[in-house]
Amino acid sequence: MSMEIVAGDVAAFDAELLQLNEVSPLALKANPSFVESLFEQWLSLPETNRLVTQLLNEAKAGAPLNVHGSSSSPHSSSNNALPSMFPAGSAPPLSPRSSTGSPRVMKQRVGPSHLGSPLKVVSEPVKELIPQFYFLNGRPPPSEIKEQCLLRIDQFFYGHADGLQMNDFKSVAKDICKLPSFFSTSLFRKIDINSTGFVTRDLFVDYWVNGSMLTMDVATQIYSILKQPDLKYLTQDDFKPVLRELLATHPGLEFLQSTPEFQERYAETVIYRIFYYINRSGNGHLTLRELKGGNLIDAMQHADEEEDINKVLRYFSYEHFYVIYCKFWELDTDHDFLIDKENLIRYGNHALTYRIVDRIFSQVARKFTSKVEGKMGYQDFVYFILSEEDKSSEPSLEFWFKCIDLDGNGILTRNELQFFYEEQLHRMECMAQEPVLFEDILCQIIDMIYPENESYITLRDLKGCKLSGSVFNILFNLNKFMAFETRDPFLIRQERENPTLTEWDRFAHREYIRLSMEEDVEDASNGSAEVWDESLEAPF
């Protein structure tokens, strides 16, 4: 029988398949020509010739192949082993083996080894089921909370097969949804998309329970109720229905029902204040993140629970609105609801410098909403007065920083500070006040702010200092600068008595007392005139 050996087959041949216990497999792999000659010699042996012939015959007959020499069973008979290449006693000696065994012997086999291999059989890892953590419409409520909510819903809708009307929905918003009661109208209209005038039990359950509103935090619930379907933010108009219901239902605002024009102004002022403090981007688009980061939700809950609206200092105080509106009305001499530079320069008894007023009207810090060039509207004035009277707030610091930063490079330099202080110095000289030189003022500002780099001041430096507001007063508000220099003991005592009040809260309180006293005097003078007129007409 002739057999042809292909060199490529020999090169790819595994030396261990020869089962030559007398020769190391590494030596065979390193010498392919030697392996080829051994393979030729092995094929020429009579025993090999008989074995190959037998295997071919069995394969032709369709019998299963049984290559005895390749069996890995420990019980394989030695008589069936393939013939050895070396005659008996002529094999070279093997190198001494370590107690751990040869790498070839310890090589992992198909079946489990009876020698107790240190390589343990690794079972297939158990697939751990990861619970769902993302829900498109929010996480569904737990079954227990859902059942309790459904029970309360059934109690409220019992006997109302046709559903509840808008007037009956206030208790649903407050008791079931845990929302401020003045959200009932907005919630009702959000569910009654077809404007039928009724909200059935099934509609409410589908929106509040099945819509996953039940598991949302209050800020997200309010955001979802107020937001327009096609937008990803809240606008000022989205808050108007809420303020209208607040004006119509809150006992502290009942006296305004006879004056619709002031109701509208109050609602506008509240909305402007909300966006001033919470909409930090200043683009008029209030995001969910901004809503969660502010204190509006707490203020709304407070307004819903407190009968005296003036105790709700955040956003909703009527006294605060009264002060803002009256201050605007005093400056708006022609009552066209617009203010120009000459009007604003009179603010605070001419407290501001011309240079800072020019910067305000240049609109570098904030674009005016007024459509009339060179004039600010009521909303612009609200932003101005909040910035002027509470320079400790972040929106105020950002506003005035942009005004002082003449070149807009994000830092305040010595030249910029000196530019604004020059007018202050000139005014002190005109008023026969002892002037404070700029070099002394600069040292004082550096000591107050303690900036990271003494050659300039950044917005970060100002936000990290409690006296930042006084720095701006030094630069462009003469009245507040002089008050700061004299350290008014009355103001210091006020701050110590009410440390939680902001500068704006104290200012609004003082101004409201002053304005109300002026109004009382005016009413008294008008009343005395009426009495006098009646006395003159009596004899006739």
Side-chain angles (χ1 to χ4, degrees), residues 11 40 95 106 163 220 338 507:
E40 291 177 355
S95 63
M106 296 304 297
T220 307
L338 295 171
F507 165 80

Side-chain angles (χ1 to χ4, degrees), residues 19 77 171 270 314 319 396 494 520:
Q19 295 188 359
S77 173
S171 56
V270 171
R314 304 284 78 81
E319 290 183 356
S396 175
Q494 275 190 333
D520 291 341

Side-chain angles (χ1 to χ4, degrees), residues 252-308:
L253 298 170
E254 186 177 358
F255 67 97
L256 279 178
Q257 293 183 3
S258 59
T259 54
E261 65 275 11
F262 287 107
Q263 283 186 324
E264 183 179 353
R265 296 303 175 201
Y266 170 81
E268 288 178 353
T269 307
V270 171
I271 294 173
Y272 296 156
R273 293 182 65 186
I274 290 172
F275 273 75
Y276 172 82
Y277 285 105
I278 299 182
N279 181 215
R280 301 306 308 280
S281 61
N283 59 0
H285 299 164
L286 188 63
T287 63
L288 177 59
R289 174 175 293 184
E290 290 175 329
L291 183 62
K292 289 183 175 182
N295 56 1
L296 178 60
I297 306 303
D298 293 337
M300 287 180 169
Q301 299 284 10
H302 188 194
D304 192 42
E305 299 168 358
E306 179 60 60
E307 292 187 0
D308 187 356

Side-chain angles (χ1 to χ4, degrees), residues 414-427:
R414 170 194 173 99
N415 293 337
E416 288 169 331
L417 299 179
Q418 187 174 9
F419 173 79
F420 285 95
Y421 183 73
E422 284 176 351
E423 188 175 350
Q424 289 280 69
L425 184 61
H426 177 69
R427 297 177 72 188

